[in-house]
Amino acid sequence: MFNSSDLAGQFDSGQEIYISFQYLTRDIEIDINSLLVKVLSRFDMGYMYDIFESVFRELIQNALKANMKRVWFEKLGLAIENEDDYLKGMARFRNVAYHPELLRENLVSSRYRVVIKMRRTKGGFHVDIINNARIVPGELRRLNNRIHKAFDCFNFTEAYENMYDATEGAGLGIILSVMLLKNSGMDTNGFRISPEDDSVRVSLDVPSEMKSVEITSVIKARIIEEVESLPTIPENIVALRLLCNDPDSTIEMISDRISRDLSVTADVLKLANSAGFITGKRIRKINDAVIIIGMKNLDLILAAAASRRILESRYSRFEQVWEHCSRTAYFARCIALEKGYPKIAEGAFIAGLLHDIGKIVLLSTDASLVDQISRLVKNRRIKTTAILEELSIGISHATIGALIAEKWNFPEELVEAIRHHHSPLNPGIKNRDLVMTVYLANHMCDRESRHADLPFLESEVLEKFGIADREEYEAFCRKLEGTYARQQRFT
Ligand SMILES: [Fe+2]
Ligand SMILES: [Fe+2]
């Protein structure tokens, strides 16, 4: 463990930062990430955090994996330099590769380590990620091959298909890192792998001004077209939403207006009574609903109800996403209520309900790509699908959702929660309470489908909600899962 503030201080004074470890614990990972936040902030590059966090993780994993391989070969009594032995060892290494904990003891007592160095340069900063195992010629060939191909490939899925290598696992870490850096505007010289006598050094020269390359894909064009062709929110709902935002409106005026439209009445009552929106007794009259919900929340409910009607009638994949959204909505409201943000509880519910509307459109445009991406995210322990969507399609479901929300004139905080539900640390966020609540709720819902041993959760978010550690987080998840299941039985 190290202190990221001390290291950032060293970085500022022009010294080189030096971090060394043999086995990567969650704590070291958190420290590295918080150091990264600090270093990037020195260059006003906070917006690059998601990218660098992924790149660092992939490169560190890669270095660690090379060390694990050595430890593994030594354990089996095989010579890694010998081609026959190499094939023999690798055939059994694949199962171990994704479970570093199996080799933890061996790693810690070995001579192998991973070293990270970082220093300021004239135009930005320099990073070295080094592991002290000599690379075998075959490994180096494969590695260089991957890097070159990745720089040539147009998008991530294309690179992935070109480079699948059954012996080494997919070797995706390097490809992913190169693609992320390349699309962020880094040129080929900025990323180097240098084999040295007894080690391998991966170096990054990060310029302080990076300009991202816009990825244009056929699917992206189809998605944008689809969003543009979505119907607008019906006139009566627009008028009602204006009334909700007019300080001269009265509850009677609004209730009267809603009751004239049977389907809107049904929608409002249904949402107001849905699991966990407003607790207490069932609301049967629209007048009561408006009083209990309040005008600001009614505006949100109307937005949600209209979106649901449009999306449900248009997309066959609607249900698949909506189930997850209803659960996220419930969790978001509970988080806000129980963790100190009661004022945003209803807003969090609606934001949770709508956070993945972009995914509905994306799924309906290319379901097989979405499936491929979510498989990769799960297997590679990539933090979110949004990053891979950006790389392969050029737009993430979060951005698609925000485009739809803007088109439908959703309140600003709702647009922001949809846009950043996978990037809650983005420096430009104004309504961070709401964004973080939806982010956490979504993470809690995804928990079961992820690798259980590594919850990729931003530690800042846990801190914000006063969740001390993983046990407390798991317990909170189980509690909400239980109350949600009970709620569902009664609605
Ligand atoms: Fe999402
Ligand atoms: Fe989600």
Side-chain angles (χ1 to χ4, degrees):
M1 297 256 283
F2 54 88
N3 183 313
S4 63
S5 303
D6 291 350
L7 290 184
Q10 283 178 27
F11 180 85
D12 289 337
S13 65
Q15 295 174 49
E16 184 170 69
I17 297 176
Y18 182 96
I19 301 165
S20 160
F21 52 88
Q22 289 177 291
Y23 179 81
L24 185 66
T25 60
R26 178 75 183 134
D27 285 338
I28 298 180
E29 219 171 1
I30 290 171
D31 286 344
I32 293 175
N33 288 346
S34 74
L35 175 64
L36 193 57
V37 171
K38 294 186 177 85
V39 168
L40 289 172
S41 73
R42 305 299 196 260
F43 302 95
D44 276 336
M45 283 170 74
Y47 62 95
M48 295 291 292
Y49 172 75
D50 280 343
I51 305 280
F52 276 97
E53 196 256 0
S54 292
V55 170
F56 266 54
R57 189 183 33 237
E58 292 297 337
L59 295 179
I60 291 169
Q61 290 296 348
N62 213 62
L64 204 63
K65 202 169 130 192
N67 289 353
M68 280 167 61
K69 248 196 222 177
R70 268 71 194 169
V71 164
W72 175 246
F73 274 74
E74 283 165 20
K75 191 177 159 144
L76 296 184
L78 294 169
I80 198 164
E81 313 258 349
N82 174 303
E83 278 195 25
D84 285 345
D85 276 9
Y86 188 79
L87 290 177
K88 248 188 254 167
M90 286 312 290
R92 289 167 61 193
F93 179 67
R94 243 170 296 149
N95 299 330
V96 188
Y98 288 112
H99 297 283
E101 67 281 2
L102 297 176
L103 290 177
R104 182 176 185 154
E105 291 304 315
N106 307 69
L107 275 171
V108 172
S109 58
S110 76
R111 64 181 186 84
Y112 300 109
R113 44 181 57 251
V114 175
V115 170
I116 303 173
K117 295 181 184 174
M118 247 196 262
R119 65 182 147 77
R120 260 181 195 278
T121 56
K122 258 191 197 154
F125 64 97
H126 180 91
V127 184
D128 286 317
I129 296 174
I130 305 158
N131 70 298
N132 60 341
R134 189 180 1 178
I135 195 162
V136 184
E139 283 179 311
L140 182 63
R141 225 182 12 254
R142 272 190 290 272
L143 209 53
N144 277 327
N145 192 9
R146 274 185 198 134
I147 296 172
H148 285 120
K149 277 196 181 154
F151 263 105
D152 290 343
C153 277
F154 179 65
N155 68 38
F156 181 71
T157 27
E158 185 191 319
Y160 172 67
E161 273 158 19
N162 267 330
M163 267 173 269
Y164 186 78
D165 176 341
T167 328
E168 299 285 320
L172 285 175
I174 292 285
I175 308 173
L176 185 68
S177 306
V178 171
M179 303 283 314
L180 283 168
L181 293 169
K182 180 182 119 178
N183 292 332
S184 313
M186 187 187 263
D187 65 23
T188 340
N189 302 325
F191 185 97
R192 282 185 311 279
I193 298 206
S194 342
E196 291 167 7
D197 270 354
D198 276 315
S199 59
V200 181
R201 175 191 303 261
V202 178
S203 314
L204 303 177
D205 266 317
V206 185
S208 59
E209 275 173 26
M210 290 178 85
K211 238 173 80 203
S212 60
V213 179
E214 206 191 328
I215 302 175
T216 43
S217 67
V218 181
I219 309 170
K220 181 178 173 181
R222 262 170 47 208
I223 289 168
I224 303 283
E225 222 171 86
E226 178 62 27
V227 171
E228 277 164 7
S229 69
L230 279 173
T232 49
I233 299 282
E235 275 306 312
N236 58 335
I237 303 279
V238 174
L240 265 169
R241 291 190 54 202
L242 283 175
L243 269 184
C244 290
N245 288 302
D246 182 346
D248 294 332
S249 305
T250 62
I251 303 237
E252 285 69 33
M253 276 161 72
I254 295 178
S255 327
D256 182 54
R257 182 93 189 229
I258 295 178
S259 10
R260 274 188 263 151
D261 188 320
L262 279 183
S263 72
V264 180
T265 307
D267 283 347
V268 170
L269 287 176
K270 192 172 170 194
L271 259 176
N273 284 311
S274 63
F277 184 69
I278 301 282
T279 42
K281 58 179 185 209
R282 204 164 184 83
I283 309 169
R284 293 184 198 281
K285 285 198 223 137
I286 203 69
N287 205 21
D288 295 343
V290 179
I291 294 170
I292 294 170
I293 298 167
M295 295 208 212
K296 186 166 185 295
N297 291 328
L298 183 64
D299 176 30
L300 291 171
I301 283 202
L302 289 166
S307 321
R308 184 191 171 140
R309 281 207 178 254
I310 295 173
L311 297 170
E312 195 172 19
S313 64
R314 203 172 162 101
Y315 301 111
S316 55
R317 297 297 194 111
F318 172 83
E319 278 306 328
Q320 191 182 336
V321 180
W322 201 252
E323 214 288 309
H324 158 77
C325 289
S326 307
R327 183 184 284 264
T328 307
Y330 175 78
F331 282 24
R333 180 170 185 273
C334 293
I335 295 168
L337 284 180
E338 293 186 29
K339 300 290 177 190
Y341 300 92
K343 282 197 181 137
I344 60 162
E346 281 73 34
F349 182 93
I350 298 293
L353 200 57
L354 298 174
H355 78 284
D356 268 341
I357 50 174
K359 194 161 252 174
I360 301 173
V361 175
L362 187 56
L363 256 177
S364 310
T365 316
D366 193 334
S368 70
L369 184 63
V370 174
D371 289 344
Q372 190 191 6
I373 288 175
S374 59
R375 250 195 331 273
L376 278 175
V377 166
K378 221 186 275 177
N379 297 339
R380 293 295 307 168
R381 298 172 164 185
I382 293 164
K383 210 170 54 177
T384 88
T385 54
I387 287 185
L388 283 192
E389 288 161 1
E390 288 281 359
L391 276 184
S392 352
I393 306 168
I395 190 164
S396 71
H397 73 275
T399 312
I400 301 170
L403 289 179
I404 302 172
E406 274 168 353
K407 178 186 168 101
W408 287 341
N409 279 325
F410 284 1
E412 195 191 344
E413 70 268 21
L414 198 49
V415 178
E416 198 180 64
I418 295 172
R419 189 188 306 280
H420 290 298
H421 74 270
H422 288 292
S423 49
L425 302 186
N426 189 295
I429 293 172
K430 289 189 201 134
N431 304 281
R432 206 170 291 277
D433 296 353
L434 183 67
V435 172
M436 284 197 170
T437 305
V438 177
Y439 164 83
L440 183 64
N442 179 56
H443 190 280
M444 290 170 82
C445 291
D446 281 349
R447 189 178 70 109
E448 280 172 10
S449 59
R450 281 166 190 260
H451 275 280
D453 60 328
L454 201 88
F456 275 148
L457 194 51
E458 303 290 1
S459 52
E460 287 86 339
V461 177
L462 286 182
E463 256 164 52
K464 182 178 183 73
F465 295 106
I467 301 172
D469 52 27
R470 196 158 120 196
E471 279 70 44
E472 202 180 318
Y473 174 65
E474 300 278 328
F476 187 48
C477 289
R478 281 195 300 275
K479 178 182 152 192
L480 295 197
E481 278 156 14
T483 51
Y484 182 71
R486 277 196 293 282
Q487 287 268 11
Q488 288 299 86
R489 261 180 269 143
F490 295 111
T491 48

